[in-house]
Amino acid sequence: MLVSVLMFSCRTAKQVVTEKDIPLMTEHKLLKQIESNRLNDSTLFAKRIEVSFTDGENSDNFKASLKISRDSFMQISLTAPLGIEVARILLTQDSIKFVDVYHKKYFLADYDYFNQRYDVSLTYDFLQNIFTNTFSDFTLLDESNLRTKRYKLDRTEMGYKLWTVDKKNAGKKLKKFYKQSGSERDEIILLQEILIDPTYFRPLSMSLKDLNEGVGISVRYENFVRFGEELFPEKMRFTLFSKKSNMDLNLKFQRMEFNVPVEPNFRILSKYKRMEL
């Protein structure tokens, strides 16, 4: 491991370079290593994030900041290139709040809203895990089941790959979606793959794919660097993919601090109008 040596007080990124050796390991031992190497900081404050979005036809670039108080709240603020805030999102254990500052609109719901409207199950813990580079399972609602779920384990050139194939009943919204795309399905077959770095035992990528339809979602973590004393991926790449198109959201973290005081600062002005997603 080669680490650029900077003063302790400097919070800019220091890239970590390593040569990987992939020894044999059991699933049980790997999961124990993953658990012991997870981030346990009480707070995370990403002061500057470069954000890019593209869907194949349109693209946008923003700057953002991210505050996380573990098991309490996550707040994301998006600003346009000229530094004007255009949106703010606040996630807590029981609610999702979003303000579109530019259009003076807001959205307010609990996590069950997405399950009822789109057949998409979300929890605060799952989203917190995604944004803190923590091992998570796309197919489980109850994260405590991670300890008992069985995975198949392969070694690859990049690291350890944990994977599962699950059959799930399609809800009404998914049945409607598949019918519109020319397929009538009551059951979906989901392939989940989680790639683990063999040195840091942190996720390099996590993905979930419908094997029949080729529809899925993935998140990739790239370029692990030192921010102060903590190791964290400099880049996160989110992709929604299908046979016809992709949507990509890329985050590049530039200034980060851990275990510093963070507080939510979120308000909805009375002149804003409520909207539905």
Side-chain angles (χ1 to χ4, degrees):
M1 183 183 298
L2 178 64
V3 180
S4 325
V5 179
L6 298 177
M7 294 182 63
F8 174 75
S9 59
C10 180
R11 295 294 181 174
T12 53
K14 299 179 291 185
Q15 185 171 355
V16 177
V17 180
T18 180
E19 293 184 2
K20 296 179 179 178
D21 183 23
I22 320 285
L24 287 169
M25 187 173 297
T26 64
E27 175 200 347
H28 176 71
K29 186 176 179 180
L30 177 60
L31 292 175
K32 288 185 65 176
Q33 288 280 15
I34 292 170
E35 181 64 25
S36 63
N37 283 275
R38 64 184 294 169
L39 281 177
N40 289 311
D41 303 271
S42 60
T43 67
L44 178 156
F45 186 12
K47 294 183 176 181
R48 182 184 175 90
I49 308 171
E50 298 287 343
V51 182
S52 64
F53 170 81
T54 179
D55 62 3
E57 297 180 358
N58 304 293
S59 62
D60 282 299
N61 294 289
F62 300 93
K63 297 187 186 306
S65 65
L66 169 66
K67 299 177 184 178
I68 298 179
S69 178
R70 186 171 296 279
D71 302 327
S72 177
F73 78 87
M74 291 189 289
Q75 180 177 297
I76 303 170
S77 176
L78 293 174
T79 58
L82 294 179
I84 301 172
E85 186 179 43
V86 294
R88 186 169 291 193
I89 305 166
L90 179 65
L91 307 175
T92 61
Q93 288 283 356
D94 58 4
S95 69
I96 299 172
K97 299 177 182 177
F98 168 73
V99 167
D100 181 345
V101 179
Y102 184 79
H103 295 101
K104 296 180 173 57
K105 295 181 179 181
Y106 74 94
F107 171 79
L108 175 62
D110 58 17
Y111 294 93
D112 193 50
Y113 171 89
F114 293 93
N115 190 18
Q116 293 182 1
R117 192 172 180 86
Y118 301 108
D119 284 337
V120 174
S121 297
L122 291 175
T123 66
Y124 174 88
D125 291 339
F126 172 77
L127 294 172
Q128 179 178 260
N129 286 345
I130 294 297
F131 281 98
T132 57
N133 185 226
T134 301
F135 178 82
S136 194
D137 193 310
F138 278 97
T139 63
L140 293 178
L141 280 174
D142 183 1
E143 290 292 318
S144 64
N145 287 334
L146 286 173
R147 298 179 181 179
T148 58
K149 181 163 183 175
R150 299 291 299 178
Y151 298 89
K152 292 182 174 60
L153 173 61
D154 293 328
R155 287 188 301 163
T156 73
E157 293 182 357
M158 293 297 296
Y160 299 100
K161 183 175 74 172
L162 293 163
W163 60 279
T164 61
V165 176
D166 297 307
K167 291 183 179 181
K168 301 287 184 181
N169 292 325
K172 293 181 179 179
K173 301 297 187 302
L174 279 179
K175 288 180 182 179
K176 183 178 180 181
F177 168 78
Y178 288 131
K179 188 174 182 179
Q180 290 173 344
S181 63
S183 173
E184 294 194 21
R185 305 252 310 282
D186 294 322
E187 189 178 70
I188 56 178
I189 302 176
L190 298 173
L191 169 65
Q192 179 175 228
E193 295 181 323
I194 305 169
L195 181 63
I196 302 298
D197 184 277
T199 303
Y200 316 124
F201 296 99
R202 301 264 290 279
L204 292 173
S205 66
M206 296 185 285
S207 66
L208 185 68
K209 181 179 180 180
D210 180 339
L211 291 179
N212 294 103
E213 298 296 327
V215 177
I217 183 172
S218 69
V219 55
R220 301 192 308 277
Y221 303 96
E222 300 177 0
N223 196 26
F224 281 77
V225 296
R226 293 282 178 185
F227 291 96
E229 294 185 305
E230 292 292 358
L231 186 72
F232 199 78
E234 187 181 31
K235 297 178 181 179
M236 293 185 190
R237 303 186 183 276
F238 299 87
T239 301
L240 287 169
F241 57 88
S242 67
K243 295 177 181 177
K244 296 181 179 179
S245 64
N246 287 355
M247 288 189 352
D248 295 292
L249 177 68
N250 299 321
L251 310 181
K252 183 177 181 181
F253 296 83
Q254 295 182 327
R255 296 177 59 195
M256 295 188 65
E257 294 181 330
F258 296 85
N259 294 320
V260 295
V262 293
E263 294 290 340
N265 53 331
F266 189 95
R267 62 174 181 166
I268 300 173
L269 299 181
S270 58
K271 62 182 178 181
Y272 287 4
K273 295 183 178 180
R274 188 163 184 169
M275 63 178 178
E276 297 291 330
L277 295 181

